[in-house]
Amino acid sequence: MHGIIFLQLQKFIKASSSPEVFSKIMDEAKLRGKFFDATKAYPDEELVAIFSTTCKTLNLDPEVALEEFGKFITPSLLTTYKPYIKNEWGCMDLLENIESTIHRVVRASNAGASPPELVITRINPAEVQIDYTSKRKMISLGIGIIKKIAEHYNEQITISKTAIPNGTRLKVSKSAKTSK
Ligand code: HEM
């Protein structure tokens, strides 16, 4: 997984606890003093070790924490990948282009990073369908990212979730009240 995700997870833990608790979590995850570089990729197991220790230590529900973490990382993802986001896009346009533009750039520019292969369909101007089938089972992270993207564009959305073979289908609908 991309170093940016590790760096953000460390920030997220510090923001949700204290420097002392953060050190304890890194100790228990057997990653004491480990330095993560935003331009490199690291084993998924290390992310899982830090994340699961955090949930245990702070008594957090993993799915809720994953969604919160998704919201937390979105501002920095939007800043880092800004050159690939067109000014005229709204929330639905960005969602429609996550796979063909954004995740594709992540894959091409970061050796070792492998964002999920999302199958995205623009059903109509106000609705996007996203099929997620990654082995990592991190759909709640995606839901947090989507909610924060909508907030960024000041748009109201609803998200429905259904099971598909080996994954989850999200339908993201824009509420009629928003203007973009
Ligand atoms: C501007 C928007 C986005 C950016 C810049 C972005 C970028 C990234 C990056 C850098 C990773 C780490 C990949 C790795 O290291 O292997 C990632 C993973 C992920 N992304 Fe995105 N992403 C965006 C939007 C979304 C959206 C809308 C979803 C909704 C489903 C999503 C779902 C995920 C999930 C679930 C992962 C975790 C890895 C996995 O499950 O395989 N992303 N993304």
Side-chain angles (χ1 to χ4, degrees):
M1 186 83 72
H2 201 308
I4 193 172
I5 307 287
F6 282 87
L7 289 169
Q8 288 296 316
L9 181 58
Q10 292 188 313
K11 266 197 186 170
F12 177 72
I13 300 166
K14 284 181 192 161
S16 322
S17 60
S18 65
E20 295 72 32
V21 173
F22 169 73
S23 300
K24 186 172 163 263
I25 289 170
M26 291 302 283
D27 271 0
E28 280 184 28
K30 306 211 168 15
L31 290 164
R32 180 184 208 158
K34 172 102 185 192
F35 173 77
F36 296 102
D37 180 334
T39 64
K40 300 213 167 89
Y42 300 89
D44 281 9
E45 293 72 35
E46 296 188 355
L47 192 85
V48 171
I50 301 171
F51 190 75
S52 55
T53 311
T54 301
C55 291
K56 210 173 64 191
T57 310
L58 302 180
N59 203 15
L60 304 173
D61 175 88
E63 292 306 316
V64 174
L66 205 49
E67 184 175 320
E68 284 309 309
F69 180 51
K71 289 181 189 163
F72 185 86
I73 59 173
T74 304
S76 73
L77 289 179
L78 291 174
T79 305
T80 308
Y81 293 93
K82 194 170 192 279
Y84 306 98
I85 300 171
K86 295 199 174 143
N87 285 333
E88 63 269 27
W89 284 353
C91 175
M92 292 295 146
D93 306 312
L94 175 54
L95 293 181
E96 181 184 356
N97 283 284
I98 291 297
E99 187 52 40
S100 56
T101 308
I102 311 290
H103 277 174
R104 195 163 68 102
V105 171
V106 173
R107 232 171 264 123
S109 56
N110 300 89
S114 57
E117 305 264 356
L118 304 170
V119 178
I120 301 182
T121 315
R122 181 77 177 253
I123 297 171
N124 61 50
E127 201 167 26
V128 172
Q129 175 178 293
I130 303 175
D131 285 355
Y132 169 81
T133 52
S134 170
K135 284 196 191 87
R136 290 165 168 158
K137 303 204 186 319
M138 293 173 75
I139 190 59
S140 298
L141 181 90
I143 292 174
I145 296 175
I146 293 169
K147 287 185 176 170
K148 199 69 184 182
I149 289 176
E151 206 181 297
H152 169 81
Y153 285 106
N154 207 9
E155 295 185 32
Q156 302 291 323
I157 56 159
T158 52
I159 304 174
S160 76
K161 200 174 144 186
T162 48
I164 53 170
N166 304 316
T168 306
R169 168 168 294 169
L170 300 179
K171 269 197 187 156
V172 186
S173 313
K174 190 162 78 169
S175 115
K177 279 186 202 142
T178 49
S179 55
K180 248 188 147 183

